[in-house]
Amino acid sequence: MSSASRKYDLVIFGASGFTGQYAVEEMARVAEREASSGGGGAIKWAIAGRSEAKLKDTLKACSDQTKMEQLKSVPIIIADVSDAASLAEMAKQTKVLVSCVGPYRFFGEPVVKACVENGTNYLDVSGEPQFLESMQLKYNDTAKANGVYIVGSCGWDSVPCEMGVQFTEQSAPGPLNSIEAFYKMIPGPHGAAAHYGTWQSAIHGFAHRGELASIRKRLFPDRLPRPKHRLTPRSLISWSRETDNWCVPFPGSDRSVVIRTERAMRDRLPDRRPLQFFPYLQVGSLFNAIVMLLLGSVFGIMASFKFTRRLLESYPRLFSLGVFSHQGPSRKQVETTSFAMTFVGVGWASAADAGSAKDGNSSDLKAPSTRTVTKLVGPEPGYVATPICLLQAAMCVLRESDKMPKKGGVLTPGSAFRDTKLIDRLKSCGLEFTKVLVDDVSQ
């Protein structure tokens, strides 16, 4: 079925879920902007899910929230992850399918399979490395053969990180050896919160983290070359002079996604120097850092056993100290929360200074001498920034596929959208990318 004959440009699957509703609201704004810009014409889109009644309620609620009456007439498709035929029928109707149905380790693969088999481009907001990497292992070759793009982690995990890394590379005077990223969550006066779905994904990610070794052994049989100037990971608690803050290692999927991007870029650009990357979370004080590490240890232990895992799932508010709940954050919390990311890249003043070895371990390789600092600031991560990132990535697939890898495949955001205008699109939606400084690394 040719792409031109598809009924819709884009379908949001899981639209009645917590994240899905925010995606519907953002899609209405995207469609309005696209229609008025004249760049590529009106976007034909629909929503999908299991329950027609819930989907209708979602459209009404989103229409009331955004004051956009046209939302009430958005088409509805009925599809269920337990019904392969319904997924195939949904996939056949659209050029791009964005999935908000998680946890993806439970509900993701049937949707990916339907899209790959029916020539439909697929994006999601998964932050689950096991799912993301197993999909690449299982479906990359078929996706390439069918010429479709399967791009996971297109929400706050991990588009801001990937585009922040790219922006830092573009801002640097020469090649970079490494980047450290420092994330900061900024709650408003009403505090910050998150939905149970994210909590459940984290529980099962920790519970099954042992799966990653075997997946990666098959997916990446060859190691990336060992750089001559290695970036040593910080300790569990460290002080960042760049952000003037205490930090702990960031537990999300961003580092694994960036490493997959580096592998993909090495395949496409053999002379590219592999970039080292470590992300950290700013926590405000030494006391907060200690408490966070203790809570993380308890969480990891409890997630490892079936009985205690059930406790975590049954009482999310209790074990997350009020952060996670089935209700999710309030509108006031979402509207007043924001995030900031600081990227510190260390590298060389020019390609000549970087030496000649593509693998970064030549005997004539000088020590990195320059530091480039950039900053990315944006709105609430989970339910404002995530739909923005997801749908602007989808617009890249629809409008700029000629600038994406020509064969398709299972890709990361960094490898899929590197040559598109995704950063500019994010800027137009309120995410701010700023070059802070470029100086000597010794300063």
Side-chain angles (χ1 to χ4, degrees):
M1 189 175 184
S2 69
S3 178
S5 65
R6 305 267 169 140
K7 188 174 182 179
Y8 303 111
D9 296 307
L10 183 146
V11 168
I12 299 174
F13 182 48
S16 60
F18 195 85
T19 302
Q21 293 186 47
Y22 281 96
V24 171
E25 293 175 16
E26 180 60 24
M27 187 62 223
R29 291 185 281 267
V30 170
E32 189 173 67
R33 288 196 299 268
E34 291 290 324
S36 62
S37 69
I43 298 292
K44 296 177 291 182
W45 65 288
I47 64 172
R50 292 182 300 173
S51 168
E52 183 176 6
K54 288 184 178 180
L55 291 169
K56 287 182 176 179
D57 288 344
T58 295
L59 290 177
K60 183 181 184 306
C62 293
S63 176
D64 293 343
Q65 177 67 31
T66 61
K67 311 302 180 186
M68 293 180 170
E69 285 295 317
Q70 64 268 31
L71 268 170
K72 294 179 180 178
S73 60
V74 170
I76 288 173
I77 299 171
I78 303 303
D80 192 324
V81 292
S82 64
D83 183 349
S86 72
L87 294 179
E89 186 59 32
M90 172 179 64
K92 290 175 183 177
Q93 296 184 61
T94 185
K95 299 174 185 176
V96 177
L97 183 106
V98 298
S99 176
C100 298
V101 181
Y104 291 89
R105 75 172 293 113
F106 300 135
F107 307 118
E109 184 171 357
V111 187
V112 172
K113 186 173 186 289
C115 288
V116 170
E117 292 178 348
N118 291 282
T120 303
N121 301 300
Y122 165 96
L123 288 78
D124 67 37
V125 294
S126 172
E128 305 164 41
Q130 296 98 323
F131 168 77
L132 295 167
E133 295 177 33
S134 64
M135 292 304 96
Q136 184 175 348
L137 180 65
K138 292 181 181 180
Y139 295 103
N140 187 51
D141 291 342
T142 309
K144 284 183 176 180
N146 292 348
V148 297
Y149 300 106
I150 306 297
V151 192
S153 54
C154 286
W156 194 79
D157 296 302
S158 296
V159 165
C161 167
E162 289 262 74
M163 295 302 105
V165 166
Q166 182 176 327
F167 180 76
T168 305
E169 289 187 280
Q170 293 170 348
S171 301
L176 288 178
N177 179 62
S178 63
I179 292 179
E180 290 183 306
F182 302 91
Y183 304 169
K184 185 177 183 180
M185 306 303 165
I186 310 170
H190 306 283
H195 189 260
Y196 171 78
T198 303
W199 176 255
Q200 190 181 31
S201 296
I203 291 170
H204 289 277
F206 271 90
H208 301 281
R209 59 191 180 278
E211 297 172 356
L212 276 171
S214 62
I215 293 172
R216 288 171 177 169
K217 187 174 182 179
R218 289 180 289 164
L219 185 60
F220 307 119
D222 299 321
R223 287 178 173 270
L224 284 171
R226 181 186 179 95
K228 180 178 180 180
H229 300 285
R230 296 191 67 189
L231 174 63
T232 303
R234 292 169 178 256
S235 59
L236 290 177
I237 298 176
S238 63
W239 175 260
S240 164
R241 67 185 179 93
E242 292 84 2
T243 61
D244 197 31
N245 211 324
W246 289 98
C247 301
V248 297
F250 180 68
S253 60
D254 282 358
R255 183 168 186 268
S256 65
V257 174
V258 170
I259 290 173
R260 287 172 56 217
T261 295
E262 288 303 309
R263 287 185 173 276
M265 296 309 300
R266 182 172 170 78
D267 291 340
R268 285 155 53 182
L269 301 170
D271 290 337
R272 173 182 166 82
R273 187 182 308 284
L275 182 73
Q276 302 170 80
F277 176 75
F278 288 98
Y280 301 92
L281 180 65
Q282 301 177 60
V283 294
S285 70
L286 179 59
F287 176 78
N288 288 347
I290 294 171
V291 170
M292 185 164 291
L293 289 179
L294 289 174
L295 290 175
S297 299
V298 172
F299 177 87
I301 293 170
M302 292 185 70
S304 301
F305 301 96
K306 188 174 182 180
F307 173 72
T308 47
R309 196 157 56 237
R310 287 178 179 173
L311 290 177
L312 289 174
E313 292 185 285
S314 299
Y315 304 101
R317 192 184 295 273
L318 172 65
F319 288 105
S320 68
L321 302 184
V323 175
F324 292 94
S325 69
H326 288 279
Q327 293 74 35
S330 67
R331 283 281 174 175
K332 287 184 177 180
Q333 287 176 315
V334 169
E335 290 168 359
T336 57
T337 299
S338 61
F339 76 90
M341 295 178 167
T342 300
F343 297 86
V344 181
V346 175
W348 297 271
S350 67
D353 289 343
S356 59
K358 65 183 180 183
D359 292 343
N361 53 11
S362 169
S363 59
D364 65 347
L365 184 65
K366 298 179 181 178
S369 57
T370 64
R371 179 180 61 162
T372 302
V373 180
T374 65
K375 193 167 186 177
L376 168 56
V377 176
E380 192 278 336
Y383 312 104
V384 181
T386 283
I388 288 172
C389 293
L390 173 65
L391 294 169
Q392 291 308 317
M395 289 302 105
C396 287
V397 177
L398 288 171
R399 305 301 201 204
E400 302 183 73
S401 60
D402 60 319
K403 298 176 183 176
M404 295 174 64
K406 300 199 180 299
K407 291 184 179 180
V410 180
L411 306 168
T412 61
S415 60
F417 305 120
R418 184 176 185 84
D419 297 323
T420 71
K421 295 181 179 179
L422 180 54
I423 290 178
D424 292 335
R425 290 178 175 275
L426 296 176
K427 287 180 179 179
S428 71
C429 294
L431 277 72
E432 301 176 11
F433 293 78
T434 308
K435 181 166 72 173
V436 178
L437 62 87
V438 176
D439 65 6
D440 188 278
V441 74
S442 61
Q443 297 182 13

